[in-house]
Amino acid sequence: MSVTVIVGSQWGDEGKGKIVDLLGKDAHYVARYQGGANAGHTIVIEGVQYILHLIPSGILSPNTKCIIGNGVVIDPIALMEEIKMLKQNNIDITGRLFISEKAHLIMPYHKLIDSASEKQKSDKTAIGTTGRGIGPAYNDKINRCGIRILDLMDKAIFEEKLKQNVKEKNSILGSLFNSPQLDINHILEEYSKFDDLIRPFVANTTLMINEAINNNENIIIEGAQGALLDVDHGTYPFVTSSNPTTGGACTGLGIPPTKINKVIGITKAYTTRVGNGPFPTELLDETGTNLQQFGHEFGATTGRARRCGWLDLNALKYSIMINGITDIALTKLDVLNHFDEIKVCVSYKLGEEEINYFPSDIKRLEKVTPILKSLKGWKKDLSGINSFEKLPIEAQDYISFIENFTGVKITYISISPDRKDTIIK
Ligand code: GDP
Ligand code: IMO
Ligand code: MG
């Protein structure tokens, strides 16, 4: 029994949902610790696709309990839509979903400010957010004026906090963004409905998860986004507003770092990024378009086309370092079936200098050119392969090259969106 953290090692959309679902099948708990409905985690079971944004990817396994931790920012509208979607698919969540009373709420003004502030920026400065209100909600949390699930359940406190916030946000919306004013009564009415709907799921999840750890239960912790989108360690300011890296799991759930046994870094066999910001191995040519088409690289939350490029091992090494990744799950290997030649980035060239670290300053990161190593493609369909030894030798070489370069074992190899198509090495 163990505590396993699953993190995205790149810029998100690495296939975390698929691997969390697979490992969550046999887990007592699956818990989310950060982010919100900006995430889009896709799971395919026997051909049926589910996309989850807020509810942990363990919810599709009938014996697994799911926790939305204190570090997550919860949009009640998105949550209700997701619960409805699960009901329509006959997935029983009774007694299986728990929401931290300490989690912060996404309010209508967070979404309005998110979109309005993006609109005011230029093409160069816009972050390309998902528009889900994430940044403004975490802003309020850090600024100590956020509204928590606890507050939602106390009418007087909720009204008082809402009044203060609406006053302040109306002033921002009016003066900075020239946007229409918010009506407090409308929000009060809408959110009092959420109180009734959410109340049955609210729990002291910090206590719950620590009890489970002490009882040696099997716990999977599900990261959203990815290490390079981390607000501290990513390509700031082109990042999200939380800590998707492993450390975020401790604060976002209230668990001690000493209890984490394993960290799986979900790594796409190439790289994608949605939204703006530096991307050293991005391919703006036909190869990039091919990766996008073969990999169906369109966002699960916003439908935006994802930017594509070769696997960046220099960035992966950095991600392994800051997350303490003990195992890699390599996903979407099948997308590379179509290429004669596959490249990986082993270091960067910055001016005349070759560097093998990930620069903190995006002005420097924007200037690097990737130093690429070429490997031979396998040009074969991988369907039905269920062991490492049965993979074409060129695919085995690709995997071994990544393992040797990073010093981390690749324990899972994913060759299709479906739960069943995963090789365990
Ligand atoms: P997440 O945000 O990390 O959970 O990833 P997303 O769900 O946003 O994006 C990953 C996409 O790749 C989804 O459409 C998955 O169904 C799909 N996917 C996951 N693993 C594989 C794989 O091994 N091969 C292929 N072809 N698709 C995969
Ligand atoms: P999953 O969990 C990929 C990106 C946005 C934008 C930046 C900030 O599915 O991997 P935000 O709305 O968070 O303020 O946007 O972060 N982004 C993601 N990119 N996958 C995600 O989640 C993402 N969540 C946010 O595109 O560049
Ligand atoms: Mg996603």
Side-chain angles (χ1 to χ4, degrees), residues 346-389:
V346 289
S347 60
Y348 298 151
K349 188 123 199 238
L350 181 61
E352 287 309 301
E353 197 193 349
E354 183 176 337
I355 60 169
N356 51 18
Y357 59 87
F358 194 74
S360 314
D361 179 359
I362 61 158
K363 287 202 193 71
R364 298 182 75 214
L365 190 62
E366 272 160 359
K367 289 197 188 110
V368 304
T369 46
I371 297 182
L372 299 166
K373 179 175 166 59
S374 173
L375 289 106
K376 201 161 175 282
W378 44 92
K379 297 280 279 187
K380 281 190 190 90
D381 184 9
L382 304 183
S383 306
I385 295 182
N386 56 11
S387 75
F388 177 74
E389 290 70 28

mmCIF file of all heavy atoms in Angstrom, residues 346-389:
data_model
loop_
_atom_site.group_PDB
_atom_site.id
_atom_site.type_symbol
_atom_site.label_atom_id
_atom_site.label_comp_id
_atom_site.label_asym_id
_atom_site.label_seq_id
_atom_site.Cartn_x
_atom_site.Cartn_y
_atom_site.Cartn_z
ATOM 1 N N VAL A 346 18.335 17.256 -26.526
ATOM 2 C CA VAL A 346 19.212 16.816 -25.432
ATOM 3 C C VAL A 346 19.847 17.977 -24.659
ATOM 4 O O VAL A 346 20.309 17.816 -23.534
ATOM 5 C CB VAL A 346 20.313 15.854 -25.940
ATOM 6 C CG1 VAL A 346 19.715 14.510 -26.325
ATOM 7 C CG2 VAL A 346 21.062 16.456 -27.127
ATOM 8 N N SER A 347 19.888 19.154 -25.292
ATOM 9 C CA SER A 347 20.370 20.361 -24.595
ATOM 10 C C SER A 347 19.961 21.571 -25.434
ATOM 11 O O SER A 347 19.367 21.412 -26.501
ATOM 12 C CB SER A 347 21.893 20.322 -24.396
ATOM 13 O OG SER A 347 22.526 20.249 -25.657
ATOM 14 N N TYR A 348 20.286 22.758 -24.938
ATOM 15 C CA TYR A 348 19.929 23.972 -25.687
ATOM 16 C C TYR A 348 21.188 24.723 -26.093
ATOM 17 O O TYR A 348 22.205 24.683 -25.396
ATOM 18 C CB TYR A 348 19.106 24.932 -24.810
ATOM 19 C CG TYR A 348 17.781 24.424 -24.305
ATOM 20 C CD1 TYR A 348 17.280 24.907 -23.088
ATOM 21 C CD2 TYR A 348 17.005 23.510 -25.008
ATOM 22 C CE1 TYR A 348 16.046 24.492 -22.581
ATOM 23 C CE2 TYR A 348 15.774 23.092 -24.511
ATOM 24 C CZ TYR A 348 15.300 23.576 -23.304
ATOM 25 O OH TYR A 348 14.088 23.157 -22.816
ATOM 26 N N LYS A 349 21.073 25.456 -27.193
ATOM 27 C CA LYS A 349 22.131 26.380 -27.577
ATOM 28 C C LYS A 349 21.620 27.783 -27.275
ATOM 29 O O LYS A 349 20.542 28.175 -27.714
ATOM 30 C CB LYS A 349 22.416 26.196 -29.074
ATOM 31 C CG LYS A 349 23.596 26.948 -29.574
ATOM 32 C CD LYS A 349 24.601 25.999 -30.219
ATOM 33 C CE LYS A 349 25.952 26.672 -30.293
ATOM 34 N NZ LYS A 349 26.488 26.784 -31.614
ATOM 35 N N LEU A 350 22.387 28.509 -26.479
ATOM 36 C CA LEU A 350 22.021 29.891 -26.140
ATOM 37 C C LEU A 350 23.184 30.777 -26.567
ATOM 38 O O LEU A 350 24.238 30.769 -25.932
ATOM 39 C CB LEU A 350 21.759 29.998 -24.629
ATOM 40 C CG LEU A 350 21.335 31.361 -24.094
ATOM 41 C CD1 LEU A 350 20.037 31.850 -24.707
ATOM 42 C CD2 LEU A 350 21.185 31.306 -22.572
ATOM 43 N N GLY A 351 23.010 31.488 -27.681
ATOM 44 C CA GLY A 351 24.143 32.228 -28.269
ATOM 45 C C GLY A 351 25.183 31.215 -28.696
ATOM 46 O O GLY A 351 24.868 30.256 -29.398
ATOM 47 N N GLU A 352 26.402 31.376 -28.202
ATOM 48 C CA GLU A 352 27.485 30.454 -28.571
ATOM 49 C C GLU A 352 27.603 29.298 -27.575
ATOM 50 O O GLU A 352 28.375 28.369 -27.766
ATOM 51 C CB GLU A 352 28.827 31.217 -28.622
ATOM 52 C CG GLU A 352 28.974 32.131 -29.826
ATOM 53 C CD GLU A 352 28.672 31.409 -31.133
ATOM 54 O OE1 GLU A 352 29.345 30.406 -31.433
ATOM 55 O OE2 GLU A 352 27.712 31.829 -31.838
ATOM 56 N N GLU A 353 26.813 29.421 -26.493
ATOM 57 C CA GLU A 353 26.975 28.485 -25.391
ATOM 58 C C GLU A 353 25.984 27.313 -25.468
ATOM 59 O O GLU A 353 24.827 27.507 -25.851
ATOM 60 C CB GLU A 353 26.690 29.298 -24.107
ATOM 61 C CG GLU A 353 27.171 28.697 -22.819
ATOM 62 C CD GLU A 353 26.545 29.442 -21.610
ATOM 63 O OE1 GLU A 353 25.929 30.519 -21.798
ATOM 64 O OE2 GLU A 353 26.654 28.916 -20.510
ATOM 65 N N GLU A 354 26.457 26.110 -25.101
ATOM 66 C CA GLU A 354 25.517 24.979 -24.993
ATOM 67 C C GLU A 354 25.134 24.835 -23.519
ATOM 68 O O GLU A 354 26.004 24.782 -22.658
ATOM 69 C CB GLU A 354 26.174 23.689 -25.481
ATOM 70 C CG GLU A 354 25.204 22.522 -25.446
ATOM 71 C CD GLU A 354 25.751 21.221 -26.016
ATOM 72 O OE1 GLU A 354 26.698 21.264 -26.830
ATOM 73 O OE2 GLU A 354 25.216 20.171 -25.624
ATOM 74 N N ILE A 355 23.833 24.834 -23.237
ATOM 75 C CA ILE A 355 23.427 24.733 -21.830
ATOM 76 C C ILE A 355 22.587 23.473 -21.605
ATOM 77 O O ILE A 355 21.844 23.051 -22.489
ATOM 78 C CB ILE A 355 22.663 25.990 -21.333
ATOM 79 C CG1 ILE A 355 21.385 26.233 -22.139
ATOM 80 C CG2 ILE A 355 23.541 27.235 -21.344
ATOM 81 C CD1 ILE A 355 20.474 27.301 -21.524
ATOM 82 N N ASN A 356 22.747 22.870 -20.440
ATOM 83 C CA ASN A 356 21.947 21.667 -20.173
ATOM 84 C C ASN A 356 21.103 21.832 -18.909
ATOM 85 O O ASN A 356 20.910 20.907 -18.147
ATOM 86 C CB ASN A 356 22.805 20.410 -20.120
ATOM 87 C CG ASN A 356 23.979 20.593 -19.183
ATOM 88 O OD1 ASN A 356 23.960 21.505 -18.347
ATOM 89 N ND2 ASN A 356 24.981 19.755 -19.304
ATOM 90 N N TYR A 357 20.629 23.060 -18.716
ATOM 91 C CA TYR A 357 19.667 23.313 -17.656
ATOM 92 C C TYR A 357 18.494 24.081 -18.269
ATOM 93 O O TYR A 357 18.562 24.498 -19.431
ATOM 94 C CB TYR A 357 20.307 24.106 -16.495
ATOM 95 C CG TYR A 357 20.873 25.444 -16.909
ATOM 96 C CD1 TYR A 357 20.088 26.599 -16.935
ATOM 97 C CD2 TYR A 357 22.213 25.547 -17.312
ATOM 98 C CE1 TYR A 357 20.603 27.818 -17.333
ATOM 99 C CE2 TYR A 357 22.739 26.775 -17.717
ATOM 100 C CZ TYR A 357 21.924 27.906 -17.730
ATOM 101 O OH TYR A 357 22.427 29.106 -18.143
ATOM 102 N N PHE A 358 17.437 24.257 -17.487
ATOM 103 C CA PHE A 358 16.226 24.929 -17.979
ATOM 104 C C PHE A 358 16.237 26.356 -17.424
ATOM 105 O O PHE A 358 16.058 26.554 -16.213
ATOM 106 C CB PHE A 358 14.991 24.158 -17.487
ATOM 107 C CG PHE A 358 13.706 24.535 -18.170
ATOM 108 C CD1 PHE A 358 13.446 24.132 -19.474
ATOM 109 C CD2 PHE A 358 12.735 25.283 -17.504
ATOM 110 C CE1 PHE A 358 12.237 24.459 -20.088
ATOM 111 C CE2 PHE A 358 11.531 25.624 -18.122
ATOM 112 C CZ PHE A 358 11.289 25.199 -19.427
ATOM 113 N N PRO A 359 16.467 27.380 -18.291
ATOM 114 C CA PRO A 359 16.605 28.749 -17.776
ATOM 115 C C PRO A 359 15.325 29.243 -17.074
ATOM 116 O O PRO A 359 14.222 28.956 -17.528
ATOM 117 C CB PRO A 359 16.869 29.587 -19.026
ATOM 118 C CG PRO A 359 17.205 28.630 -20.097
ATOM 119 C CD PRO A 359 16.569 27.333 -19.753
ATOM 120 N N SER A 360 15.514 29.995 -15.989
ATOM 121 C CA SER A 360 14.358 30.539 -15.259
ATOM 122 C C SER A 360 13.787 31.748 -15.980
ATOM 123 O O SER A 360 12.593 32.044 -15.860
ATOM 124 C CB SER A 360 14.775 31.013 -13.868
ATOM 125 O OG SER A 360 15.568 30.062 -13.246
ATOM 126 N N ASP A 361 14.652 32.457 -16.692
ATOM 127 C CA ASP A 361 14.257 33.701 -17.344
ATOM 128 C C ASP A 361 13.699 33.384 -18.739
ATOM 129 O O ASP A 361 14.424 32.895 -19.605
ATOM 130 C CB ASP A 361 15.508 34.594 -17.438
ATOM 131 C CG ASP A 361 15.217 35.909 -18.119
ATOM 132 O OD1 ASP A 361 14.069 36.129 -18.544
ATOM 133 O OD2 ASP A 361 16.157 36.719 -18.243
ATOM 134 N N ILE A 362 12.416 33.698 -18.941
ATOM 135 C CA ILE A 362 11.826 33.318 -20.236
ATOM 136 C C ILE A 362 12.449 34.085 -21.400
ATOM 137 O O ILE A 362 12.399 33.639 -22.532
ATOM 138 C CB ILE A 362 10.282 33.408 -20.270
ATOM 139 C CG1 ILE A 362 9.784 34.816 -20.013
ATOM 140 C CG2 ILE A 362 9.633 32.387 -19.369
ATOM 141 C CD1 ILE A 362 8.395 35.027 -20.553
ATOM 142 N N LYS A 363 13.046 35.238 -21.114
ATOM 143 C CA LYS A 363 13.707 35.965 -22.209
ATOM 144 C C LYS A 363 14.874 35.135 -22.743
ATOM 145 O O LYS A 363 15.165 35.143 -23.931
ATOM 146 C CB LYS A 363 14.221 37.326 -21.719
ATOM 147 C CG LYS A 363 13.116 38.319 -21.490
ATOM 148 C CD LYS A 363 13.652 39.750 -21.541
ATOM 149 C CE LYS A 363 12.620 40.691 -21.007
ATOM 150 N NZ LYS A 363 12.467 40.526 -19.521
ATOM 151 N N ARG A 364 15.552 34.398 -21.872
ATOM 152 C CA ARG A 364 16.642 33.519 -22.297
ATOM 153 C C ARG A 364 16.053 32.252 -22.928
ATOM 154 O O ARG A 364 16.541 31.774 -23.944
ATOM 155 C CB ARG A 364 17.537 33.165 -21.117
ATOM 156 C CG ARG A 364 18.220 34.396 -20.508
ATOM 157 C CD ARG A 364 19.133 34.017 -19.372
ATOM 158 N NE ARG A 364 20.351 33.405 -19.833
ATOM 159 C CZ ARG A 364 21.016 32.434 -19.171
ATOM 160 N NH1 ARG A 364 20.559 32.001 -18.024
ATOM 161 N NH2 ARG A 364 22.117 31.927 -19.666
ATOM 162 N N LEU A 365 14.989 31.747 -22.319
ATOM 163 C CA LEU A 365 14.372 30.514 -22.839
ATOM 164 C C LEU A 365 13.831 30.728 -24.255
ATOM 165 O O LEU A 365 13.914 29.841 -25.112
ATOM 166 C CB LEU A 365 13.258 30.054 -21.889
ATOM 167 C CG LEU A 365 12.681 28.670 -22.170
ATOM 168 C CD1 LEU A 365 13.726 27.575 -22.026
ATOM 169 C CD2 LEU A 365 11.519 28.370 -21.223
ATOM 170 N N GLU A 366 13.316 31.926 -24.497
ATOM 171 C CA GLU A 366 12.781 32.247 -25.836
ATOM 172 C C GLU A 366 13.885 32.239 -26.900
ATOM 173 O O GLU A 366 13.622 32.032 -28.071
ATOM 174 C CB GLU A 366 12.144 33.641 -25.810
ATOM 175 C CG GLU A 366 10.686 33.629 -25.389
ATOM 176 C CD GLU A 366 10.198 34.988 -24.909
ATOM 177 O OE1 GLU A 366 10.998 35.950 -24.879
ATOM 178 O OE2 GLU A 366 9.004 35.065 -24.545
ATOM 179 N N LYS A 367 15.120 32.476 -26.460
ATOM 180 C CA LYS A 367 16.237 32.581 -27.420
ATOM 181 C C LYS A 367 16.952 31.261 -27.671
ATOM 182 O O LYS A 367 17.803 31.198 -28.554
ATOM 183 C CB LYS A 367 17.262 33.599 -26.887
ATOM 184 C CG LYS A 367 16.768 35.037 -26.956
ATOM 185 C CD LYS A 367 17.930 36.004 -26.833
ATOM 186 C CE LYS A 367 17.401 37.419 -26.713
ATOM 187 N NZ LYS A 367 17.597 37.974 -25.381
ATOM 188 N N VAL A 368 16.669 30.233 -26.892
ATOM 189 C CA VAL A 368 17.428 28.994 -27.082
ATOM 190 C C VAL A 368 16.993 28.280 -28.359
ATOM 191 O O VAL A 368 15.856 28.437 -28.820
ATOM 192 C CB VAL A 368 17.284 28.001 -25.889
ATOM 193 C CG1 VAL A 368 17.681 28.652 -24.582
ATOM 194 C CG2 VAL A 368 15.891 27.400 -25.813
ATOM 195 N N THR A 369 17.955 27.523 -28.945
ATOM 196 C CA THR A 369 17.559 26.608 -30.018
ATOM 197 C C THR A 369 17.877 25.204 -29.520
ATOM 198 O O THR A 369 18.893 24.981 -28.855
ATOM 199 C CB THR A 369 18.314 26.879 -31.343
ATOM 200 O OG1 THR A 369 19.689 27.040 -31.041
ATOM 201 C CG2 THR A 369 17.801 28.098 -32.061
ATOM 202 N N PRO A 370 16.992 24.260 -29.794
ATOM 203 C CA PRO A 370 17.220 22.920 -29.256
ATOM 204 C C PRO A 370 18.348 22.188 -29.988
ATOM 205 O O PRO A 370 18.456 22.308 -31.222
ATOM 206 C CB PRO A 370 15.881 22.227 -29.497
ATOM 207 C CG PRO A 370 15.219 22.974 -30.580
ATOM 208 C CD PRO A 370 15.744 24.375 -30.553
ATOM 209 N N ILE A 371 19.165 21.477 -29.257
ATOM 210 C CA ILE A 371 20.150 20.588 -29.887
ATOM 211 C C ILE A 371 19.491 19.216 -29.935
ATOM 212 O O ILE A 371 19.103 18.660 -28.895
ATOM 213 C CB ILE A 371 21.474 20.580 -29.093
ATOM 214 C CG1 ILE A 371 22.059 22.005 -29.140
ATOM 215 C CG2 ILE A 371 22.441 19.547 -29.654
ATOM 216 C CD1 ILE A 371 23.381 22.187 -28.465
ATOM 217 N N LEU A 372 19.288 18.728 -31.148
ATOM 218 C CA LEU A 372 18.458 17.541 -31.330
ATOM 219 C C LEU A 372 19.287 16.308 -31.662
ATOM 220 O O LEU A 372 20.302 16.399 -32.360
ATOM 221 C CB LEU A 372 17.448 17.782 -32.465
ATOM 222 C CG LEU A 372 16.453 18.940 -32.243
ATOM 223 C CD1 LEU A 372 15.746 19.305 -33.544
ATOM 224 C CD2 LEU A 372 15.412 18.558 -31.180
ATOM 225 N N LYS A 373 18.847 15.183 -31.156
ATOM 226 C CA LYS A 373 19.439 13.906 -31.552
ATOM 227 C C LYS A 373 18.378 13.156 -32.340
ATOM 228 O O LYS A 373 17.206 13.178 -31.984
ATOM 229 C CB LYS A 373 19.840 13.115 -30.304
ATOM 230 C CG LYS A 373 20.426 11.778 -30.687
ATOM 231 C CD LYS A 373 20.962 10.992 -29.528
ATOM 232 C CE LYS A 373 21.210 9.539 -29.908
ATOM 233 N NZ LYS A 373 22.152 9.325 -30.998
ATOM 234 N N SER A 374 18.838 12.527 -33.423
ATOM 235 C CA SER A 374 17.877 11.837 -34.275
ATOM 236 C C SER A 374 17.884 10.333 -33.994
ATOM 237 O O SER A 374 18.941 9.725 -33.861
ATOM 238 C CB SER A 374 18.243 12.129 -35.734
ATOM 239 O OG SER A 374 17.452 11.357 -36.564
ATOM 240 N N LEU A 375 16.688 9.778 -33.889
ATOM 241 C CA LEU A 375 16.571 8.327 -33.696
ATOM 242 C C LEU A 375 15.710 7.765 -34.827
ATOM 243 O O LEU A 375 14.929 8.489 -35.447
ATOM 244 C CB LEU A 375 15.936 8.009 -32.335
ATOM 245 C CG LEU A 375 16.836 8.287 -31.135
ATOM 246 C CD1 LEU A 375 16.409 9.534 -30.395
ATOM 247 C CD2 LEU A 375 16.832 7.101 -30.187
ATOM 248 N N LYS A 376 15.839 6.476 -35.067
ATOM 249 C CA LYS A 376 15.123 5.857 -36.174
ATOM 250 C C LYS A 376 13.673 5.546 -35.762
ATOM 251 O O LYS A 376 13.435 5.025 -34.671
ATOM 252 C CB LYS A 376 15.847 4.560 -36.538
ATOM 253 C CG LYS A 376 15.575 4.060 -37.918
ATOM 254 C CD LYS A 376 16.644 3.067 -38.356
ATOM 255 C CE LYS A 376 16.289 2.467 -39.694
ATOM 256 N NZ LYS A 376 15.306 1.441 -39.658
ATOM 257 N N GLY A 377 12.751 5.864 -36.652
ATOM 258 C CA GLY A 377 11.341 5.539 -36.376
ATOM 259 C C GLY A 377 11.075 4.065 -36.618
ATOM 260 O O GLY A 377 11.892 3.382 -37.230
ATOM 261 N N TRP A 378 9.925 3.533 -36.165
ATOM 262 C CA TRP A 378 9.631 2.113 -36.331
ATOM 263 C C TRP A 378 8.623 1.877 -37.446
ATOM 264 O O TRP A 378 8.569 0.804 -38.027
ATOM 265 C CB TRP A 378 9.172 1.488 -35.028
ATOM 266 C CG TRP A 378 8.171 2.302 -34.242
ATOM 267 C CD1 TRP A 378 6.823 2.229 -34.311
ATOM 268 C CD2 TRP A 378 8.477 3.314 -33.272
ATOM 269 N NE1 TRP A 378 6.255 3.141 -33.450
ATOM 270 C CE2 TRP A 378 7.245 3.813 -32.783
ATOM 271 C CE3 TRP A 378 9.655 3.848 -32.773
ATOM 272 C CZ2 TRP A 378 7.159 4.819 -31.839
ATOM 273 C CZ3 TRP A 378 9.576 4.842 -31.814
ATOM 274 C CH2 TRP A 378 8.352 5.316 -31.356
ATOM 275 N N LYS A 379 7.850 2.899 -37.777
ATOM 276 C CA LYS A 379 6.884 2.836 -38.881
ATOM 277 C C LYS A 379 6.004 1.573 -38.841
ATOM 278 O O LYS A 379 5.793 0.909 -39.851
ATOM 279 C CB LYS A 379 7.626 2.922 -40.225
ATOM 280 C CG LYS A 379 8.365 4.239 -40.453
ATOM 281 C CD LYS A 379 7.448 5.339 -40.913
ATOM 282 C CE LYS A 379 7.188 5.239 -42.370
ATOM 283 N NZ LYS A 379 6.452 6.354 -42.916
ATOM 284 N N LYS A 380 5.557 1.230 -37.675
ATOM 285 C CA LYS A 380 4.677 0.051 -37.523
ATOM 286 C C LYS A 380 3.548 0.403 -36.583
ATOM 287 O O LYS A 380 3.713 1.233 -35.700
ATOM 288 C CB LYS A 380 5.461 -1.101 -36.898
ATOM 289 C CG LYS A 380 6.339 -1.842 -37.861
ATOM 290 C CD LYS A 380 6.872 -3.134 -37.184
ATOM 291 C CE LYS A 380 7.948 -3.763 -38.031
ATOM 292 N NZ LYS A 380 9.296 -3.285 -37.714
ATOM 293 N N ASP A 381 2.427 -0.279 -36.759
ATOM 294 C CA ASP A 381 1.284 -0.128 -35.869
ATOM 295 C C ASP A 381 1.589 -0.862 -34.551
ATOM 296 O O ASP A 381 2.067 -1.994 -34.588
ATOM 297 C CB ASP A 381 0.072 -0.749 -36.579
ATOM 298 C CG ASP A 381 -1.207 -0.579 -35.795
ATOM 299 O OD1 ASP A 381 -1.191 0.159 -34.789
ATOM 300 O OD2 ASP A 381 -2.226 -1.190 -36.191
ATOM 301 N N LEU A 382 1.319 -0.228 -33.442
ATOM 302 C CA LEU A 382 1.628 -0.871 -32.147
ATOM 303 C C LEU A 382 0.406 -1.551 -31.533
ATOM 304 O O LEU A 382 0.501 -2.134 -30.446
ATOM 305 C CB LEU A 382 2.180 0.172 -31.153
ATOM 306 C CG LEU A 382 3.409 0.984 -31.563
ATOM 307 C CD1 LEU A 382 3.843 1.914 -30.433
ATOM 308 C CD2 LEU A 382 4.572 0.063 -31.940
ATOM 309 N N SER A 383 -0.730 -1.491 -32.219
ATOM 310 C CA SER A 383 -1.983 -2.016 -31.646
ATOM 311 C C SER A 383 -1.811 -3.445 -31.140
ATOM 312 O O SER A 383 -1.231 -4.286 -31.828
ATOM 313 C CB SER A 383 -3.105 -2.031 -32.679
ATOM 314 O OG SER A 383 -3.245 -0.765 -33.224
ATOM 315 N N GLY A 384 -2.336 -3.697 -29.982
ATOM 316 C CA GLY A 384 -2.371 -5.057 -29.438
ATOM 317 C C GLY A 384 -1.082 -5.475 -28.733
ATOM 318 O O GLY A 384 -1.044 -6.522 -28.092
ATOM 319 N N ILE A 385 -0.034 -4.679 -28.830
ATOM 320 C CA ILE A 385 1.230 -5.070 -28.171
ATOM 321 C C ILE A 385 1.060 -4.946 -26.655
ATOM 322 O O ILE A 385 0.566 -3.939 -26.157
ATOM 323 C CB ILE A 385 2.412 -4.213 -28.692
ATOM 324 C CG1 ILE A 385 2.631 -4.534 -30.179
ATOM 325 C CG2 ILE A 385 3.690 -4.462 -27.871
ATOM 326 C CD1 ILE A 385 3.772 -3.818 -30.834
ATOM 327 N N ASN A 386 1.472 -6.009 -25.934
ATOM 328 C CA ASN A 386 1.243 -5.969 -24.484
ATOM 329 C C ASN A 386 2.494 -6.184 -23.648
ATOM 330 O O ASN A 386 2.419 -6.373 -22.449
ATOM 331 C CB ASN A 386 0.145 -6.965 -24.098
ATOM 332 C CG ASN A 386 0.497 -8.353 -24.570
ATOM 333 O OD1 ASN A 386 1.632 -8.598 -24.990
ATOM 334 N ND2 ASN A 386 -0.455 -9.254 -24.532
ATOM 335 N N SER A 387 3.657 -6.165 -24.318
ATOM 336 C CA SER A 387 4.883 -6.239 -23.506
ATOM 337 C C SER A 387 5.987 -5.441 -24.191
ATOM 338 O O SER A 387 5.969 -5.247 -25.416
ATOM 339 C CB SER A 387 5.325 -7.685 -23.313
ATOM 340 O OG SER A 387 5.909 -8.154 -24.508
ATOM 341 N N PHE A 388 6.924 -4.986 -23.383
ATOM 342 C CA PHE A 388 8.032 -4.176 -23.894
ATOM 343 C C PHE A 388 8.791 -4.961 -24.969
ATOM 344 O O PHE A 388 9.128 -4.434 -26.033
ATOM 345 C CB PHE A 388 8.976 -3.821 -22.726
ATOM 346 C CG PHE A 388 10.198 -3.056 -23.147
ATOM 347 C CD1 PHE A 388 10.106 -1.715 -23.501
ATOM 348 C CD2 PHE A 388 11.446 -3.676 -23.182
ATOM 349 C CE1 PHE A 388 11.239 -0.999 -23.900
ATOM 350 C CE2 PHE A 388 12.580 -2.964 -23.581
ATOM 351 C CZ PHE A 388 12.470 -1.631 -23.936
ATOM 352 N N GLU A 389 9.025 -6.244 -24.724
ATOM 353 C CA GLU A 389 9.817 -7.076 -25.638
ATOM 354 C C GLU A 389 9.161 -7.200 -27.006
ATOM 355 O O GLU A 389 9.845 -7.438 -28.003
ATOM 356 C CB GLU A 389 10.021 -8.481 -25.043
ATOM 357 C CG GLU A 389 10.952 -8.534 -23.827
ATOM 358 C CD GLU A 389 10.357 -7.906 -22.574
ATOM 359 O OE1 GLU A 389 9.105 -7.915 -22.443
ATOM 360 O OE2 GLU A 389 11.127 -7.367 -21.737
#
